[in-house]
Amino acid sequence: MDASSPLPKTVHYKLVLLGDASVGKSCLVVRFAKDEFYEYQEPTIGAAFMTQSVTLGDEIVKFEIWDTAGQERYRSLAPMYYRGAAAAVVVYDITNKESFDGAKSWINELKAVLPSDVVIALTGNKIDLEASRCVSTELAEGYAEDNALLFKETSAKTGEGVRELFDEIARKLPKKSQDSDAGGFQVSSNQKASSWSTGSCAC
Amino acid sequence: MAQANEGTPLPVDSEADSHAARVAGVPGGFADTGEEEITEEPSTAAAASAADEDATVPRDRSLLVIQDEADEEDAAGADWSDYAQEGSPLRTARGMRTAAAAEDRERVHPPVMSGAFLSVTEGAEDAEEPAPRVGLEDILLESEQDASCDDFYGTQDTTQPASAAATDQERVDEPDAGSKGDDIQRPSEPFAASAEDLPNGVKWGTSPPLPSVPLRYDEGSSGESSPTSNEGSPLEGISLEPSQPAEAPAKEIQAEPEQATTDNGEVVLAERREGRGDKGGEQPEGDSETRRPPGLPDGRPARNRSFALRKSVDEIHSSYDLASKCVDEDDSVPEWYKHDDHVLIFTYSGKPVWSRYGSEDRLSAFTGTLSAIVSKMASLFVHSKGTDSLRYIKAGDHIFAFMERGPLWLVSISRGVRGRNKWQESIDALQSFSVPSTAPSCPVTPPTATAPHPSDGPTVYPQHHHQRIHTYSMLAELLDRIHQQLICILTRGIDKTLKARPSYDVRALLGGTDAVLNNLIEWSGRDMFALVDSFEPLPLAPPMRVIATNALKDFRAVGSGVNPQPHVLAAILLAHHRVVTMAVSRVIKNQLHPTDLVILINLVRSSALRQSESWTPVCLPHYNDSAFLYAYVNFSGRDLGLVVLSSTSDGDQFYALSQHFHRMMEALSSSGCLDAIRTSIAYCPYALPNSLLSTLGVPFIHVGYFLPSLQQYFGSAFSRDYQEPAREQQLFSVYHCCKTLLAKTKAKLPCQLFYKRRHESFFVWQTAEYHLYCCAPRWTELSTHSLTQLVQWLKTQESFLFISNIPTL
């Protein structure tokens, strides 16, 4: 935003969604960004990019969301997408215990790689399927507390908890000193990583 | 055993030419090994007459002609000969008038004639004297030459005295009922237009978009005197005229009860032509016709009207449903065996990788067995000098095609034509045959029926007509393409992994790609890219294409961003699966293989990539099969997409390309180019203009035109009756067979192949400059003249149809 603009300040943050395949990452983003839900959301290839803003007091937090593919073949490419992120949402499916284990390994990886001020949120999705729940709220909440993570349970299908999740992330993000609005795409400076090496798949 | 032998180029001899057409009617050839339904027909008489003719047939010298099921409708033969006799005086009279011109032309265009074509002449002549020079002269010429066919075909008739009266009646009615009724009713218009305009005047894309086209059609068909044709009804437009109910049952075995009640011939006719043109119901719409600017009789392309009713090629990619994989099935379930085209991929240790149908988990016993078969077969070749492997197994109506690709095996199991695979036999038989290279020679067709075949009406085909013909080469090409799609997703790294860890489970790596692989299989069967190894451009007026190209390649930095261009390898603007324009960097120039492009397009269009702005690794197997490139993909709406391949995955590159996308869309939009593109998209697939078809006198079912130099093709819309996936697949499978046959005969270019099936005639013409694939109803006439004219016309459209300039970045 121009300094002369009377509009509230806009700050850009890169946010990345991680998690196993079919836990509902894309659905969460689509619910947040477009307020829509597709019963059959096609598997993401690589990573999809979307933006959505959250108004927080006198400033607008504009999320640049990288919705990554959960498939194993993209696992080795994940750093390309989460590098430079200010926030990460690690999603698991509450009806699938394995996906919770997957989420834990994602969190370990992020904690090892990303700076400590990165906001990491653990999200249990699909709470509309309460009947087939396999991961209890207490278990996940406890894990989140131990690791100083945000924790939220959501349903992309009904929209429950989705908006709150992103609002809470926006509140928790460290305040940026500089406006980063040049061209609307300038993200935090540490995003300018050196060229990522061209590699082959996870295999 | 289609007979055709080599020799010197055919002398200009109309009699020999017409005889050439019968070459294929040889007993024991295609005719006798024809599809099984032949045996259901009362065909002995016809077969006898066919044999009779064949005894007198001199051999073709320049053209491969195949006639399938020559013994079909016996009545048809009778029609023809009866008609031909009747036509003689007329022919002679006209022939004399134009004898000199005729002789002249004869050298260029060997004679071809059939009753159907002749009837055009009659209609045009009777109604209109200021008739066209292009159309009329040739028609007269050809009608004269018809005399030479006359005696010859007259013999066909002898076995069918009973039907003579009926056919006579039919012939009289034919002008109304037949394909040419259109012309006859208003003879002057198309011809007058053609005289002036063809091949230059008939144009696509230059006329403004007219959304009224479909409307006019609807009005036409419903407002006609006969209201019985219901759009969308499977039986609509079945073409038995009420005026001849008595002959119907006797004449055609396919005269089903429903047909007897159908509408009159004119409406049928209008509809039939409608499929490829927009002149449906033109009688009441005459005003609107005349309102058009002169010189553009119906100069805009006709749109496929029924596309909402079917899953068109354009929609293949947007509608994959995981349910169609039938994940509950496995090889213990009978349903699993009922799928027509299985494709299985497994590792050399027998572990399943992917299956088109059923659950891979539960198919491991099946893939294990297949792997055991291939390894046992391989042991047979151990002591032979060359390494070889199992290629295919035929069992009953199934063909199992195998392909080894490093540690992966790909197997396709397809159900084909029941009984013997005639095509394969013919191909085998013709292994040593070669077609001499001659100048455009003589695709002569034997006139077999003067009346429109009832099967020209939709949906009267028996089920097995939809069965495709599978040849190994076609299946092998498919399997190879699937493998390349796999490499596109995984890179060759998978080979190394599997060699190091034979029990590695690849399934996990392919998660979420069912749609990609399945759509590739489905698309391959229904589009020309699989036939000619190329891609399809979006037809667009050249000035618009220039604007689009400039917008596409205008990479530059915006604000404090970076200039993405140094890392851009290729930029492609897509309209559905068609390429609007593209630009290629110097680095990749000449290395962007058409197959790479096709599998990239398939990947982009089959997956969630088309739903949002994406940044994803892809591998182009022909360019570098061991590394990923990065693809920026963004779609505007569902139809128009930008794909940029980048050599760097630097985060800034994505943002720079994102800005480029928005700037490009703005440039397209402000210049009006976006509208032009969207209009063209709405017309796809393009139908040939009606005025062209009426001038040619052939209501083509489909025309494919491929330019080897550009590696691009144009495929016309299918005619209305064929707009059904199963039929499209079937026709493409015949094209494939024609192509295989030409390849097997090691024909030198230019070469041609003519193939007559039960309901359609196919013509394939390969020259160094272009390849033409076309298909017309069997009852119509494909003459050298009309085909040459078609090609000439297509040539004039090349700048509209193809991307002539792919700039280097």
Side-chain angles (χ1 to χ4, degrees), chain B residues 433-455:
Chain B
F433 169 83
S434 86
V435 178
S437 58
T438 59
S441 58
C442 161
V444 184
T445 68
T448 47
T450 53
H453 195 290
S455 64

Side-chain angles (χ1 to χ4, degrees), chain B residues 398-420:
Chain B
H398 283 81
I399 175 165
F400 298 68
F402 293 80
M403 176 168 283
E404 183 183 11
R405 283 285 178 268
L408 293 174
W409 275 92
L410 295 93
V411 178
S412 113
I413 306 171
S414 302
R415 196 194 309 271
V417 175
R418 246 171 276 148
R420 287 177 296 163

Side-chain angles (χ1 to χ4, degrees), chain B residues 581-598:
Chain B
T581 181
M582 60 193 281
V584 180
S585 92
R586 235 170 281 284
V587 182
I588 204 174
K589 190 82 176 170
N590 302 324
Q591 293 183 66
L592 189 56
H593 194 278
T595 306
D596 282 354
L597 194 54
V598 163

Side-chain angles (χ1 to χ4, degrees), chain B residues 523-583:
Chain B
W523 188 24
S524 292
R526 290 180 52 198
D527 209 341
M528 288 219 8
F529 75 87
L531 192 64
V532 289
D533 203 11
S534 57
F535 67 92
E536 183 173 18
L538 178 81
L540 195 63
M544 287 301 169
R545 190 145 6 230
V546 169
I547 294 173
T549 307
N550 288 337
L552 176 75
K553 65 175 191 176
D554 179 24
F555 291 102
R556 57 193 143 88
V558 169
S560 62
V562 294
N563 182 357
Q565 180 164 343
H567 301 293
V568 170
L569 294 174
I572 304 150
L573 185 61
L574 288 178
H576 289 297
H577 63 272
R578 296 179 182 84
V579 177
V580 180
T581 181
M582 60 193 281

Side-chain angles (χ1 to χ4, degrees), chain B residues 108 124 227 446 543 546 605 653 680 695 760 767:
Chain B
V108 188
V546 169
R605 302 240 314 123
Q653 182 77 354
S680 186
T695 306
E760 306 96 14
T767 73

Side-chain angles (χ1 to χ4, degrees), chain A residues 14 34 38 40-50 64 66 71-74 77 80-81 182-187 191-203, chain B residues 320 322 489-491 493-494 497 504 508-513 560 606-617 626-628 630 647-652 654-655 658-659:
Chain A
K14 177 173 172 180
K34 304 180 185 167
Y38 306 120
Y40 179 65
Q41 171 74 38
E42 291 178 54
T44 308
I45 301 271
F49 180 80
M50 255 173 263
E64 289 163 356
W66 282 98
Q71 269 81 29
E72 191 180 323
R73 67 176 175 280
Y74 297 111
L77 299 165
M80 175 173 122
Y81 299 110
F185 279 106
Q186 198 62 31
V187 196
Q191 182 214 328
K192 285 192 178 176
S194 58
S195 263
W196 296 320
S197 60
T198 299
S200 68
C201 70
C203 49
Chain B
Y320 179 75
L322 202 58
I489 297 165
L490 298 177
T491 76
I494 190 67
T497 308
Y504 186 81
L509 293 183
L510 282 175
T513 55
S560 62
S606 298
S607 59
L609 290 176
R610 68 172 187 280
Q611 292 172 346
S612 55
E613 192 171 13
S614 301
W615 182 240
T616 187
S626 57
F628 279 131
Y630 294 85
S647 58
T648 175
S649 62
D650 190 310
D652 286 345
F654 171 84
Y655 296 107
S658 181
Q659 289 181 344

Side-chain angles (χ1 to χ4, degrees), chain B residues 111 175 373 804 807:
Chain B
I373 291 171
S804 51

